Structure formats: structure tokens, C-alpha cells
Amino acid sequence: MAPEMLPPGSVVGMLGGGQLGRMMALAAARLGLSVHVYCPDPDSPAFDVARAHTVAGYDDEAALAAFADRCDVVTYEFENVPARAAEVIAQRTLLRPGALALATSQDRLVEKTFLRKAGAEVAAFASIDRAADIDAAIAVTGLPAIVKTRRFGYDGKGQRKVESREALAAAVTELGGADLILEALVPFELEVSAIVVRGADGAAAVYDIGENSHADHILKQTRVPARIGAETAAAAAALGRRIADALDYVGVLGVELFVVRDDQGERLVVNEMAPRVHNSGHWTEDGAVTSQFENHVRVIAGWPIGSVATIAPTVMENLIGAEADAWAAIAADPKARLHLYGKAESRPGRKMGHVNRVGV
Amino acid sequence: MAPEMLPPGSVVGMLGGGQLGRMMALAAARLGLSVHVYCPDPDSPAFDVARAHTVAGYDDEAALAAFADRCDVVTYEFENVPARAAEVIAQRTLLRPGALALATSQDRLVEKTFLRKAGAEVAAFASIDRAADIDAAIAVTGLPAIVKTRRFGYDGKGQRKVESREALAAAVTELGGADLILEALVPFELEVSAIVVRGADGAAAVYDIGENSHADHILKQTRVPARIGAETAAAAAALGRRIADALDYVGVLGVELFVVRDDQGERLVVNEMAPRVHNSGHWTEDGAVTSQFENHVRVIAGWPIGSVATIAPTVMENLIGAEADAWAAIAADPKARLHLYGKAESRPGRKMGHVNRVGV
């Protein structure tokens, strides 16, 4: 055994107790690893499948330290882990992915700057920190454009599409007036994801590229393979790997890319990245040899990457809010593989589960 | 939804907290069901992945009643659930599989009598309750034969192969002198398993027949498909289904069969049955569309049976005792799907995990 492989029985800590933590915990258990979940919410779905859990805030340094001391490695299910929490943990045990990935992905301005430096094409962007920045920003992006908060946005929250200078000025005020980014609209044909897994030794693998569709800014469906050219798919995988390398990344990384089609053919524009298992990788649970959850756990524990080969074309559909009420019909569909997250309450926009259809 | 389908969030109770309970709990969690494990052993591997657990004895009627009151359905991972414990639970909630399956499989004499009545061929057998029964028993089975305790035997425990009347007399004394069964030796070519799943509505399905090999009386390997004729495989499946029907069974049932080859061709002799998920069905986790664990949970919860189709030929190998120390090499084998049970201590003969190799 390589000295850095954590043996079975080791404790994997997870910050965040939602469905991503739950699915990582299930994967860890299958490998004989023990899971400790840390989350402020006492009703966290991941608690149900973990050996231990801590209910405490991400600003509770004593609780974070005690948690870290019980874990052989700590990971997270969301990129908005406060920098100070990450620091407390990293001082006491392994934190994977590391602080650089967190810091980069928490701020859209830092992220876009990093991506460009890593050789990825991104939408034209400019920062807005005061009303006086508006004209210079429009000069960079043109109009219409999208104004976003630099931090803490997800599922379309904290962003507005604007068609005019006046609308932008209003949106800037509405979004707080500072720490904003204006992004050019990318005239994309479709959105795809590269789900990359990379180990501490630099070995990396990329799952087959998935094609995403959204409803109300929330991922609705991922289909694999994406309906793009083979060269574009290879380029998306190479780009995902390059980004992971540039971050010296350990874990699963989700990279969302726009596919732009023009008379030159297809080209890729990186939308954003997530330093964690990703909703657009849920198809791998049934459609790939090793799921993204198992591979994330494997590499943060120092284990080698499991095969990312696709078993058969797969379509993943999120069950959002009341859509999960159709569980009985889905359970009766012989093509459907149902996954439910154990959330007691269904709310509009809440991700309740997903369903994979393999070989379709 | 059919009225008898337990909705997500329902509580599935499990008697027994070993690896079978653990794998059932993982499958239940994926379906959004909540799991409560009951086991006397405070270090039960299944506790780590269950929402709730009770540490209490199977004779603690108050604890059993409190457990049953919190569960929408109760199942078990072992057939030696005391009849009184089953009764306490069945008076308060659904117990699946039911008391008939338990009572039948707990006693080899009752089981063999039942199997014969259900139309299965079994080895010639006779009961021994006193020394005076020995000659009559030998007249039925011939010698050599195998003498077994009627109850509580597993993995070769509580049985002796005997070649002579004297050896049998000694073994009878050694095994307690009563409640024994003498069975004729079956000159079998190989042993196979039928893993049957049957719902409360009578719908049933049988996984592809697996071929088992043992070492030191413990299952070592199951390979699917078994190397038997197509007619024999169909007959094994039909036999499994007939046995499940005769028990009005709800859940997964493991049926071990001997394949005897002579100049008439192949014929099947039922060795024994287990009213639970079965070690020889572990291949289904990676080699079949729906695992035996998920299908057991589905039908006890009143859900329809998931597809039992085989994805690709699969070989399952148990990791027994120190064999699990090879986990790092297995984790690095791209063909291997590793499953470890989270047991802290490896002991000789203890099942620590298993590995599935799919598409081999």
C-alpha cells in the first residue's frame, strides 16, 4: 500500500449535510470508510447515513477544531465554506480539495481571472464596485449582459440579465452596489459539463461529457454523451483536466462549459467551476463504472481513481419540488433508477431526488 | 400510488446489524427510506449507515415492542430470529418476510419436509432424537452421510460428515444427542444459487443463476452465469419461484441447489434456503440492474420489483479474514468493485468484504 492511502476504518469528514454529502457518505461506507458530517442544520439528510455528526455553525471554531481532530481527511459539499473554517481545519488535518480551489471558486472575479490565466476562454467580464464603474464595464461586455454578485450565488440567485444602462444601474443598486461582476452574454448552443477527478499524485480522469438543460436556472437534465463533436468533447475534457492541474486539485471538480457554434465550428467557453461533486455528475451513479461520489472519496483518501468508463448512454433528471411526488410511478418504470435524498419537506425549487435512465 | 406502497420517509426496521443489514440500509437510504437497525452488538456495522439504532437483545420484549412501534415494516438479515421476537413485532407492524418463512428455515427437518412437499428434490434425510434412531436413519440415507443440528447451523458449523455407524454415534453424542438430522451425501457436480425476489402481490423475479464455490465451508466465490445448461438454469429459477410461492414469501429468498450430473443429464437437488438477502447474491450490486438489497427493500416496502437483468458476467469473491488486507491492491484493480463492511477487527473466517468483477 502506498503510504498516503487512508486504510478502511479511517474517518472522512464532510462539511455540509445535504444530498451531495449524503451520496458521498454512502459511497464512503461502501468502501469501509467511516463518515463524520458537520452541518448547522439538525435535519441534514447526510446525518442519516453517517456514523457521526456535529451540528454547529461554520463559524464555531471550537466545534470545527474538535471535528477536524476526529477526521483523517475533510472534504465539503459546497464551495462557500468560509475561508476561516477551511483554515482551522487545514491546520489540524488534511483538507481536500485545498484552500486554493475554495478561494478561487468563491469569487466569480477571481475565478474568471484564474480560468483565463489557465488558458480557458471565458465570457468578457468586468468588475463593478461603484456606480462609476458601470460605463467602463459595459464597454468591456456590451449589452445585453448579466450582472452577478461575486460571491454566494447559486441556481441563478444573485444575478440579473440587463438590456440597458438604466437597467444595469438599477440592478447594481439592488444587488448591493459593490462586489459585482458584469459578464457578456455568450451566444451558446448548449451547456455541457466536464466532471474531472484528480488525485494527489496528479493522475486525472474525466467522465464522458454531459449535456445540461435547465429550467428556472436549476439543472433539470443531464444527458450523456453530449450531442457535440468528438473533438469538442475531447477539448472539454482537456480543459477540465488543465483547470484541475492549475489548482493542484484533489477530488472531483465540476466544470460547466458553453458550446458556441459558428461558421468556424464549435468552441468552448467556460461558464463556471465547482470544487466538489456536481449535480451534472449524478448520472455516474448508474451510468458509469465508478460514480463521481466514490471517485471523490477515493482520491481524497489517497486511493487510486476508479474507472470512469460509461456503461451506457444515460439521462439524469432532477426531481425538483413536487416532481418527487411521482416517486411511485418512477419506481415502477423498469428503465428508471430512482434516488431520493430523504428530505422531509418538499418546497418549490428544492432538489428532492433524481432519476437515471441508463441505456436510453 | 398503490395504497400499500410505503412512501419515502417511511421507517424500515432491520433485525441484525451485520453486513447484510448494512447493505440493505444503504439501498434503503438511496430510495429515501429511513432505517432503524436493532442489534444486541453495540459495534454493529449497519449502525454506521442507519438513521436510528437500538442496542438490545432479541429476548427484550419491551425493546422489541418500542422498535416495532417506530417502524412501518420490519425485516431481518438472519433466519435465527427467535419466534417470540418475530411474534412481538408482527403484532405491532408489518414483518416481512413473514413468520412462516422464518419457522420453516430455522429447522432443517421442517425445511426439508416443506421443500419436498413443494415439489423440490432434496437429499434423503431422517431425524435423530436418540441413539436408538441411528440405525433407522442410516437405512434412509446410507453412508457416508452428514449429521447436522436441526437449528442454528451456518457456514458448516454444527455438522459432521460421518463414514461409519460408530462415527455417527460419536457425532450424535457430540452434537447433543437430539434435534439432529441425518442427510444423505449428494454426489453433486457443482452448487448454484437462485436469488428470488417476490412481492406481496405475488409478482416474482429470479436473478441469473450463480455458481458457488466454498473454502472451509464458507462461500468463497459466486460466478454468474453458472456453467450449467440453459434448461437447468430455467429449472432452478422455476424451483426458486415455486418455493417462494409456497411460502407466500415477501422479500429476497436465497435457494442453494446442488447440480447432479449423470447419464440422464443434469438434475437439481435443493440444499437449503435462506429467507433473506444472500451472500451468493452480492454480485447483483454491480452486475445486475437492481441489487438484491434494493429489491428486498422495494418489495418489503410494497414497491414493485426492479429489473433483475444482468449487466454483464460477474464474479464475486468474498474477502475473508486477512484477505481484506489486500484492499489497496484491489482498489487499484480497474476491473474490481470493492465492498468493505466497516468491521474494525479482522478474524479468521470473518467476512470482511467482497469484490465484484464485472465483464470478466
Side-chain angles (χ1 to χ4, degrees):
Chain A
M1 136 176 92
E4 70 276 13
M5 287 179 79
L6 295 179
S10 299
V11 180
V12 176
M14 294 179 187
L15 294 170
Q19 67 269 18
L20 300 182
R22 181 176 166 106
M23 290 184 277
M24 289 194 286
L26 292 171
R30 215 190 70 161
L31 298 175
L33 295 162
S34 188
V35 176
H36 189 143
V37 175
Y38 186 109
C39 193
D41 178 356
D43 291 322
S44 295
F47 290 171
D48 293 356
V49 295
R51 182 165 194 192
H53 67 262
T54 298
V55 180
Y58 296 119
D59 56 356
D60 183 339
E61 294 192 17
L64 287 165
F67 165 70
D69 288 345
R70 291 178 60 186
C71 296
D72 296 295
V73 62
V74 170
T75 191
Y76 40 87
E77 64 159 12
F78 67 116
E79 54 272 40
N80 289 321
V81 174
R84 178 61 191 149
E87 198 175 294
V88 169
I89 287 164
Q91 279 165 358
R92 293 170 172 268
T93 189
L94 272 177
L95 177 70
R96 286 176 167 171
L100 176 61
L102 270 179
T104 304
S105 59
Q106 283 179 357
D107 184 317
R108 293 184 192 277
L109 187 66
V110 176
E111 181 178 311
K112 285 218 150 43
T113 307
F114 158 79
L115 288 167
R116 189 174 275 173
K117 201 175 145 196
E121 181 177 342
V122 294
F125 65 92
S127 63
I128 299 181
D129 288 309
R130 59 192 72 81
D133 294 340
I134 287 177
D135 289 315
I138 291 175
V140 171
T141 65
L143 282 172
I146 305 177
V147 59
K148 301 179 177 177
T149 55
R150 281 169 55 180
R151 302 173 68 91
F152 302 118
Y154 71 97
D155 286 351
K157 291 178 176 59
Q159 55 180 272
R160 305 278 183 279
K161 184 177 167 188
V162 290
E163 313 264 349
S164 66
R165 194 197 177 286
E166 293 66 42
L168 175 55
V172 164
T173 304
E174 199 188 342
L175 291 173
D179 292 325
L180 303 175
I181 183 172
L182 189 67
E183 297 179 9
L185 274 188
V186 177
F188 63 91
E189 199 70 29
L190 43 86
E191 188 203 285
V192 299
S193 284
I195 305 295
V196 186
V197 52
R198 187 177 184 276
D201 58 355
V206 186
Y207 287 94
D208 279 348
I209 303 300
E211 175 184 335
N212 303 327
S213 40
H214 294 78
D216 299 327
H217 298 283
I218 300 173
L219 182 68
K220 183 57 200 152
Q221 188 192 78
T222 299
R223 62 159 62 211
V224 175
R227 289 165 294 188
I228 54 176
E231 277 181 33
T232 308
L239 202 46
R241 193 183 284 238
R242 196 184 321 152
I243 293 166
D245 284 342
L247 292 166
D248 197 17
Y249 194 84
V250 181
V252 163
L253 173 76
V255 181
E256 295 177 8
L257 308 106
F258 297 130
V259 178
V260 180
R261 285 190 185 131
D262 56 26
D263 45 15
Q264 315 279 305
E266 291 179 338
R267 70 175 213 279
L268 293 165
V269 178
V270 176
N271 179 29
E272 61 181 30
M273 62 181 210
R276 53 170 169 79
V277 292
H278 196 260
N279 195 165
S280 66
H282 289 3
W283 68 272
T284 61
E285 272 188 301
D286 298 295
V289 172
T290 314
S291 77
Q292 65 166 348
F293 305 104
E294 178 173 333
N295 261 333
H296 185 80
V297 170
R298 278 176 165 258
V299 297
I300 66 167
W303 294 29
I305 297 168
S307 166
V308 298
T310 299
I311 294 171
T314 301
V315 175
M316 186 286 304
E317 257 190 301
N318 271 341
L319 301 174
I320 297 164
E323 289 169 359
D325 296 347
W327 63 270
I330 297 166
D333 174 356
K335 280 277 184 202
R337 311 292 301 127
L338 178 62
H339 301 254
L340 294 172
Y341 306 149
K343 295 182 181 177
E345 202 191 337
S346 155
R347 290 193 294 264
R350 193 175 203 204
K351 292 174 179 171
M352 302 298 292
H354 64 274
V355 52
N356 286 328
R357 290 183 171 83
V358 182
V360 289
Chain B
M1 136 175 91
E4 70 275 12
M5 286 179 79
L6 296 179
S10 299
V11 180
V12 176
M14 294 180 187
L15 294 170
Q19 67 268 17
L20 300 182
R22 181 176 168 107
M23 289 184 277
M24 289 193 288
L26 291 170
R30 216 190 68 161
L31 298 175
L33 296 162
S34 187
V35 176
H36 189 145
V37 176
Y38 186 109
C39 192
D41 178 358
D43 291 322
S44 295
F47 289 171
D48 294 355
V49 295
R51 182 165 194 191
H53 67 262
T54 299
V55 179
Y58 297 118
D59 56 355
D60 183 339
E61 293 192 17
L64 287 164
F67 165 72
D69 287 346
R70 291 178 58 186
C71 296
D72 296 296
V73 60
V74 170
T75 190
Y76 40 86
E77 63 159 13
F78 67 115
E79 54 271 41
N80 289 320
V81 173
R84 178 61 191 150
E87 198 175 295
V88 169
I89 288 165
Q91 279 165 359
R92 293 171 172 266
T93 190
L94 272 178
L95 178 70
R96 287 177 166 169
L100 176 61
L102 269 180
T104 306
S105 57
Q106 283 178 356
D107 184 317
R108 293 183 192 278
L109 187 66
V110 176
E111 181 178 310
K112 285 219 151 42
T113 307
F114 158 79
L115 289 167
R116 188 174 275 171
K117 202 175 146 197
E121 181 178 342
V122 294
F125 64 91
S127 62
I128 299 181
D129 289 309
R130 60 191 72 82
D133 294 340
I134 287 177
D135 289 315
I138 291 174
V140 172
T141 65
L143 283 174
I146 305 178
V147 59
K148 301 178 177 177
T149 55
R150 280 169 55 180
R151 301 173 69 91
F152 302 118
Y154 70 98
D155 287 350
K157 290 179 177 60
Q159 53 180 274
R160 305 276 184 281
K161 184 176 168 189
V162 290
E163 312 265 349
S164 67
R165 195 197 178 285
E166 293 68 40
L168 175 55
V172 164
T173 305
E174 198 189 345
L175 292 172
D179 292 324
L180 303 176
I181 182 171
L182 189 68
E183 297 179 10
L185 274 188
V186 177
F188 62 92
E189 199 70 29
L190 43 85
E191 189 203 284
V192 299
S193 283
I195 305 294
V196 186
V197 52
R198 187 176 184 277
D201 58 355
V206 187
Y207 288 94
D208 279 348
I209 303 300
E211 175 184 335
N212 303 327
S213 41
H214 294 77
D216 298 329
H217 297 282
I218 301 173
L219 182 68
K220 181 59 199 149
Q221 188 193 78
T222 299
R223 61 159 62 212
V224 175
R227 290 166 293 188
I228 54 177
E231 277 181 34
T232 309
L239 201 45
R241 193 183 283 236
R242 197 184 320 153
I243 293 166
D245 284 342
L247 291 166
D248 197 16
Y249 194 85
V250 181
V252 164
L253 173 75
V255 181
E256 294 177 9
L257 309 106
F258 297 129
V259 178
V260 180
R261 284 190 185 132
D262 56 25
D263 45 14
Q264 315 278 305
E266 291 180 336
R267 71 176 213 279
L268 294 164
V269 178
V270 176
N271 179 29
E272 60 181 30
M273 63 181 209
R276 52 170 167 81
V277 292
H278 196 261
N279 194 165
S280 66
H282 289 3
W283 69 272
T284 61
E285 274 188 301
D286 299 293
V289 172
T290 313
S291 77
Q292 66 165 346
F293 304 104
E294 178 172 334
N295 261 333
H296 185 80
V297 170
R298 278 175 166 259
V299 297
I300 65 166
W303 294 30
I305 296 169
S307 165
V308 299
T310 298
I311 294 171
T314 300
V315 175
M316 186 286 303
E317 257 189 301
N318 271 341
L319 300 174
I320 297 164
E323 289 169 359
D325 296 347
W327 62 271
I330 297 165
D333 174 356
K335 279 277 184 203
R337 310 292 302 126
L338 178 63
H339 300 255
L340 293 172
Y341 305 149
K343 296 182 181 177
E345 201 191 339
S346 154
R347 290 193 294 264
R350 193 176 202 203
K351 291 174 181 172
M352 302 299 293
H354 65 274
V355 52
N356 286 328
R357 290 184 172 83
V358 181
V360 291

